[in-house]
Amino acid sequence: AIGVLLPEEYMTKDLCEFLQTRLISVYADSDPENPDSMYRAVLAGVDGLIVDDIHLLYEFFTVFPEKTLLRKPLVIGHRGMSTHSPENTIEGSMLAYQAGADVIELDIYLTSDNHIVVIHDSTTGRTMNGNLTVESSTLSQLRTLTILDSTGNFPGLRIPTLGDYFSAFQNLDVQIF
């Protein structure tokens, strides 16, 4: 995991959100003797406050009402929206984005002819209608297979490349991870 310690002058909601949607944890170096800086950091949405005295931190948080939501949770579409579409497909990832995902998580492999393809397993047997080893196959060989679709809504899909993903999502406000 990657984390940053932001100085007070950079502690803004926009910057915290920007970093967090790139899966970077944001922390603030806080002084419990200066509650205004701690409020500013918490309201900016930091993941944590760095303090010298944990008891002062607990005391600080008692001023917030119980079950206060201080920032929007980050929504990650794991392999897209695999409950409604085949996993690791552009179509499934688009469904996750449309449902509100901030981040689309993918799994990638390099083919024998140096194409980066999006697939979870090292072989195609579980997710496609044939069994090839991804890293020992060319993109053309992999694209002779179709992706299995238990929903029946996406027949005939082929394995996408990472470039296909970048093209499909290039103008959308979502991170590809």
Side-chain angles (χ1 to χ4, degrees):
I2 298 174
V4 296
L5 180 60
L6 286 183
E8 188 173 349
E9 63 267 23
Y10 294 110
M11 195 60 55
T12 66
K13 184 177 181 179
D14 289 341
L15 183 56
C16 283
E17 185 176 303
F18 174 84
L19 293 168
Q20 290 163 339
T21 58
R22 282 141 185 88
L23 303 181
I24 299 172
S25 298
V26 179
Y27 298 92
D29 192 7
S30 301
D31 177 9
E33 302 297 320
N34 182 1
D36 287 348
S37 73
M38 292 178 66
Y39 282 117
R40 184 169 173 223
V42 168
L43 295 175
V46 297
D47 294 295
L49 299 172
I50 308 295
V51 296
D52 292 330
D53 186 342
I54 192 72
H55 301 292
L56 291 174
L57 183 64
Y58 289 140
E59 188 176 311
F60 168 75
F61 276 108
T62 63
V63 301
F64 292 96
E66 189 177 336
K67 299 181 183 176
T68 298
L69 181 63
L70 298 173
R71 67 180 175 91
K72 175 187 173 282
L74 189 62
V75 178
I76 301 174
H78 182 246
R79 300 184 205 166
M81 187 179 262
S82 58
T83 56
H84 292 85
S85 61
E87 66 181 57
N88 278 318
T89 61
I90 291 171
E91 293 75 5
S93 296
M94 194 61 73
L95 286 176
Y97 168 74
Q98 291 165 349
D102 302 296
V103 177
I104 304 297
E105 181 273 342
L106 308 175
D107 303 285
I108 59 173
Y109 280 88
L110 186 64
T111 65
S112 65
D113 56 346
N114 294 317
H115 291 276
I116 299 172
V117 292
V118 179
I119 187 169
H120 180 267
D121 302 342
S122 61
T123 63
T124 61
R126 182 180 65 85
T127 58
M128 301 181 82
N129 68 340
N131 195 12
L132 296 173
T133 300
V134 178
E135 292 178 326
S136 300
S137 303
T138 65
L139 179 60
S140 295
Q141 290 171 322
L142 292 167
R143 286 202 165 156
T144 63
L145 305 177
T146 57
I147 297 173
L148 300 175
D149 176 24
S150 62
T151 69
N153 296 323
F154 301 96
L157 294 180
R158 310 276 181 199
I159 192 168
T161 65
L162 189 57
D164 295 334
Y165 262 87
F166 289 154
S167 293
F169 287 90
Q170 70 181 346
N171 295 316
L172 301 177
D173 186 20
V174 66
Q175 300 303 309
I176 303 295
F177 182 72

